[in-house]
Structure formats: C-alpha cells, structure tokens
C-alpha cells in the first residue's frame, strides 16, 4: 500500500484554533477509512525566532499507508478540514497543506526541514522542492503555511524526540477558564518524573500543562514515551469534559532549533545559536530586571540578554565576570535603533570561571588593626596607634565565586517548546524504532487511575 505524508501548518491565530486539533480531527477520519498510521502524528516546532511565526509555531505531519484508490479522497477531506477549522479571516493566518507520496523522504526535503527549524527559509524554496519531488501543495491566502507543512513532512525525528499527549475541550468550553484539579497534576508530576517534563514550574508552583488562550487544548503533557504520557494523562483529573485526546511525536525539549556556530561573527539575526566566548562586559541590570552582558572572541563581540522571566538563568547571568569562558544558547534578535544584535539567552553553559580577586587594606604592622587609606597614592594610616606608611600595600586575595561551572537553563515557565530541559540530559533518543501503542488516541475520558 502506498504511503502518504500530509503536512499542515499555520491554520490558527491568537484568537482561535490549533493545527494539532485539525490533525486530531483528521486522525479520526483517516482511521474510519482504515488508513494505517506508520507513525504517531508528528508535531514539529519550527524556529521560534522568525518574526512572522504563528503562536506556537508548530506544524503537523500525518504519515499513513492506505489503498491507492483512497488517496484523492483523503487529500480532499484534508483540504476541507483545514478550510473549515482555520481562522481564515485573521490577517497573518496563511494555511498550507503538503502531500508527499512515498516511503522515504528525500534528503533535500529533510535538509529543508532542518533549515526551517534552525533558520529562515523562503516560500519559493519550498515550492521548488515540491515541484522537484512531485509533492503537492495547497495554500490559502499568502500560502506561507506551505513552508511549515513541507518542513513537517521533512522532519522525520530520527535524532532526539519526545512525546506529547494533548487533551481537547468540547467546543462549548472554548474561551472559558480551564477546569482541572491542580493537585492531581502535582501528583502526576511526582509519579512520572523525570519521564515527563514541564508539568509544574518549580519556582512558582504554577501548573504548566494548560495553555491560556482560547484554543481547543485543555492540556498537553510532555514526556519520553507514549506509555508515560498516557499514564500521566490518566492521572490528571479534568473537571470539564474531554472531547478527544491524541499522542504526538515531537521535537519538543530537544534543542533542535539551536545550531552551533564556529565564532561570534557568524551569528545572524533570527538563527538560534550556540556560541562560545569570553565575557567582555560586566553584566548589568537594565529596567524591568533584564540582565545584559557581552561576550567576545577573536572574530567579534555580541550582546547577550537574560530576560526577567528566565528566572534562575537571569540570576546566574548576573554573577558572571569579565573573563569568564561561557557558551550561550538562544535566539538572535536583529539590531534595532536602540540595541545591537543580541542573543536572547535560553541556556548558559559556564566553562571556566576567572578567579575573583578582592583587594583589602593592609593590617597595621605595629598593632595589627586594619589600616585606613589616606587617599590614592598617599599611603595608609592606623587609626588605633597612629602608624602611617606609604610602603604598605593593599592585599589581594581570592574570594570564592558565588557561581559554579555547568549548564543553566531558563525556568520552565519561560522555556521555549524546543528548549531541552535539564532533566532530559542523558535521556536523549537515537534512531529508536517507533512502534504505535494500541490506543494512542481516544475520545472522552478514560478511567481515572489513582496514583
Ligand atoms: Zn596600628
């Protein structure tokens, strides 16, 4: 049976919709006609730093096997569903759908996907690839969604990946406050840690699995395996009806957007980077409690910013000193009238700390009391016994740094979808076989499992 890959992107707006929900609706329709899923629906987060991104910048791909005679019908209802559920009246929502037939995704499309996740690509490039590999694309309005739709087809998540189970609300509850038992989320978090992540913000105790907008999502739980996210879902007590739920395979929490560059002069706007340098300007706190410092290497110097919501990361950045060797991870903001090119910190790796040298006044050689300076170049005087000297000098000693080498990540509440949280270090997956569990989507609520 032929394979069909269906990519979708840019259907939602800040006021309505969610591309994952359209994918969830398509899952239902495809299963009804006996299409066989060869992967979980893929939820691919694209470069979060492009200026025209959709809200979460997530694109979707469904990969199925089905009878040849059904292919046209499937394409038709994919297009109909996107048309029906997209916020087409919203300016800036430009949905796109891409169909690609074939078992293997061509290398060039995979490469295109990487560039869409890590950089900036043009619609023209997507259209050229679609023509070259005989894929098909449908776009609405400005068609920008075709870029993400093709990227979702091309990102086969062969390297590291994670799962997310998303539970959807019934339409009559859209826009109303989400009703969920917060205690059950905390219990779930404790029971499934470290195999689920970003459920609760440790600093504020805030529940992170529920989004805030008018979209159809009640909650999403992220984790390392389909089994663990499903178990977690069964432990969360929803206090409102769940219409349906689906498990997605994703690039959440994998750092897929970050590309290491060789030197600071290679840092470009909108391309999230990992780059190494020596702190060249002392961190300073600017209004609204953001912290700014600079790093340099032989090729140049660049500003780095740790914003207030990054929490712990901001506190760490503030303690850096000129001379410290660091690696910074983050999106790159283009220069503006007021600010130069700046890396917005998501992570900070401290590789080597310079010693902190502190100078204090000498002790009086006669009575041992700490002496007072009489002014620059004028020597020191002892207030106790009156001894004066130009010969004695300040004493240098090394004060312990209030900072340790290692990696620091922004607080979960400000973490990007793509940022790899600390607890995932060591849990990365490599080319694991993907096997669909028996029930990877469903309707309504499954029975609650008490922890
Ligand atoms: Zn003295």
């Amino acid at each position: 049976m032929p394979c069909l890959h269906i990519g979708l992107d840019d259907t939602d707006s800040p006021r309505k919709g969610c591309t994952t929900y359209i994918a969830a609706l398509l899952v239902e329709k495809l299963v009804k006609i006996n299409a066989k899923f060869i992967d979980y629906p893929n939820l691919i987060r694209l470069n979060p730093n492009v200026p025209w991104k959709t809200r979460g910048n997530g694109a979707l791909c469904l990969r199925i096997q089905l009878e040849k005679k059904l292919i046209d019908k499937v394409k038709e209802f994919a297009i109909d569903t996107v048309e029906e559920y997209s916020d087409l009246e919203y300016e800036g929502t430009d949905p796109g759908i891409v169909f690609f037939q074939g078992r293997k995704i061509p290398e060039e499309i995979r490469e295109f996907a990487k560039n869409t996740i890590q950089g900036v690509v043009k619609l023209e490039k997507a259209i050229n690839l679609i023509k070259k590999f005989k894929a098909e694309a449908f776009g609405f309005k400005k068609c920008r969604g075709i870029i993400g739709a093709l990227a979702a087809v091309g990102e086969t998540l062969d390297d590291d990946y994670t799962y997310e189970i998303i539970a959807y609300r019934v339409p009559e509850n859209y826009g109303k406050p989400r009703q969920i038992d917060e205690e059950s989320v905390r219990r779930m978090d404790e029971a499934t840690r470290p195999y689920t992540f970003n459920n609760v913000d440790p600093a504020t105790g805030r529940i992170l699995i529920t989004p805030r907008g008018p979209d159809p999502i009640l909650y999403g739980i992220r984790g390392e395996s389909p089994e663990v996210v499903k178990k977690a879902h069964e432990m969360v007590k929803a206090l409102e009806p769940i219409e349906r739920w689906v498990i997605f395979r994703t690039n959440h929490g994998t750092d897929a957007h970050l590309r290491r560059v060789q030197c600071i002069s290679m840092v470009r706007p909108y391309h999230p980077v990992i780059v190494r340098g020596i702190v060249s300007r002392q961190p300073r706190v600017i209004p609204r409690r953001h912290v700014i410092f600079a790093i340099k290497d032989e090729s140049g110097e660049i500003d780095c910013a740790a914003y207030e919501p990054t929490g712990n990361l901001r506190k760490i950045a503030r303690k850096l000193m000129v001379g410290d060797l660091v690696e910074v991870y983050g999106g790159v903001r283009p220069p503006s009238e007021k600010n130069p090119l700046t890396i917005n910190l998501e992570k900070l790796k401290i590789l080597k700390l310079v010693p902190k040298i502190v100078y204090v006044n000498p002790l009086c050689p006669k009575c041992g009391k700490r002496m007072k300076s009489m002014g620059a170049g004028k020597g020191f005087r002892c207030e106790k016994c009156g001894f004066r000297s130009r010969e004695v000098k300040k004493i240098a000693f090394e004060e312990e740094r209030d900072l340790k080498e290692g990696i620091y990540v922004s607080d979960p509440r400000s973490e990007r979808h793509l940022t790899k949280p600390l607890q995932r270090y060591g849990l990365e997956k490599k080319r694991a076989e993907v096997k669909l569990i028996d029930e990877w989507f469903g309707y309504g609520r499954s029975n609650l499992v008490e922890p």
Side-chain angles (χ1 to χ4, degrees), residues 363-371 381-388:
L363 299 178
C364 172
K366 287 209 165 149
C367 73
K369 181 121 167 77
R370 179 109 24 226
M371 298 174 82
R381 186 173 69 90
C382 175
E383 283 194 325
K384 195 177 170 201
C385 73
F387 177 79
R388 290 164 179 246

Side-chain angles (χ1 to χ4, degrees), residues 259-264 266-268 272-276:
R259 186 176 285 183
R260 189 177 289 276
V261 296
Q262 287 308 311
C263 59
I264 288 169
M266 286 169 73
V267 175
R268 287 177 294 157
V273 285
I274 305 173
V275 69
R276 194 175 277 208

Side-chain angles (χ1 to χ4, degrees), residues 232-285:
H233 161 66
E234 285 163 356
M235 289 178 71
V236 168
K237 210 185 242 168
L239 304 175
E240 63 171 74
I242 289 174
E243 186 202 61
R244 66 183 69 228
W245 56 270
V246 178
I247 296 175
F248 295 88
R249 199 161 73 91
T250 81
N251 59 357
H252 292 157
T254 64
D255 278 351
H257 59 315
L258 299 168
R259 186 176 285 183
R260 189 177 289 276
V261 296
Q262 287 308 311
C263 59
I264 288 169
S265 64
M266 286 169 73
V267 175
R268 287 177 294 157
Y270 307 122
H271 289 67
V273 285
I274 305 173
V275 69
R276 194 175 277 208
I278 286 173
V279 176
S280 56
R281 221 174 322 117
Q282 196 64 31
R284 62 198 164 90
V285 182

Side-chain angles (χ1 to χ4, degrees), residues 110-242:
R110 293 156 65 115
E111 189 62 35
F112 172 85
K114 288 274 179 278
N115 290 333
T116 312
I117 294 162
Q118 299 181 331
V120 181
V121 296
K122 290 209 162 81
L123 180 57
E124 202 186 346
K125 174 79 184 163
I127 301 289
N128 288 342
L129 287 171
I130 284 160
K131 280 184 193 154
K132 179 171 177 182
F133 293 102
K134 298 189 168 54
E136 274 177 276
F138 290 84
F140 296 83
K141 296 160 66 187
K142 290 181 182 160
C143 305
R144 201 189 290 284
I146 289 175
I147 296 173
L150 183 64
V153 169
E155 178 49 87
T156 46
L157 297 168
D158 292 332
D159 292 330
D160 192 18
Y161 56 88
T162 60
Y163 292 87
E164 176 162 2
I165 189 164
I166 300 181
Y168 297 95
R169 322 180 75 181
V170 294
E172 50 269 37
N173 282 336
Y174 292 177
K176 295 182 189 159
R178 288 167 172 81
Q179 305 295 332
I180 180 169
D181 175 10
E182 297 203 349
E183 254 332 290
S184 73
V185 177
R186 292 198 175 88
R187 281 199 302 269
M188 173 278 282
D189 182 54
E190 269 165 43
T192 58
R193 207 186 288 162
Y195 302 106
T196 61
F197 56 92
N198 292 7
N199 298 316
V200 180
D201 183 60
T204 58
R206 211 176 88 194
I207 301 297
L208 299 176
I209 64 170
T210 45
R212 302 190 144 193
D215 57 86
I217 296 179
L218 179 58
Y219 58 78
I221 306 169
R222 296 165 180 197
E224 300 299 329
S225 70
E227 291 86 358
V228 79
V229 293
K230 194 172 166 191
K231 177 185 165 196
H233 161 66
E234 285 163 356
M235 289 178 71
V236 168
K237 210 185 242 168
L239 304 175
E240 63 171 74
I242 289 174

Side-chain angles (χ1 to χ4, degrees), residues 32 57 71 83-84 118 123 144 217 236 263 326 358 361 369 387 401 405 421 427 432 449:
K32 273 190 183 142
N57 221 13
I71 288 179
E83 188 166 16
E84 187 180 345
Q118 299 181 331
L123 180 57
R144 201 189 290 284
I217 296 179
V236 168
C263 59
V326 296
V358 179
N361 291 348
K369 181 121 167 77
F387 177 79
R401 292 287 302 271
E405 286 158 13
L427 296 178
V449 177

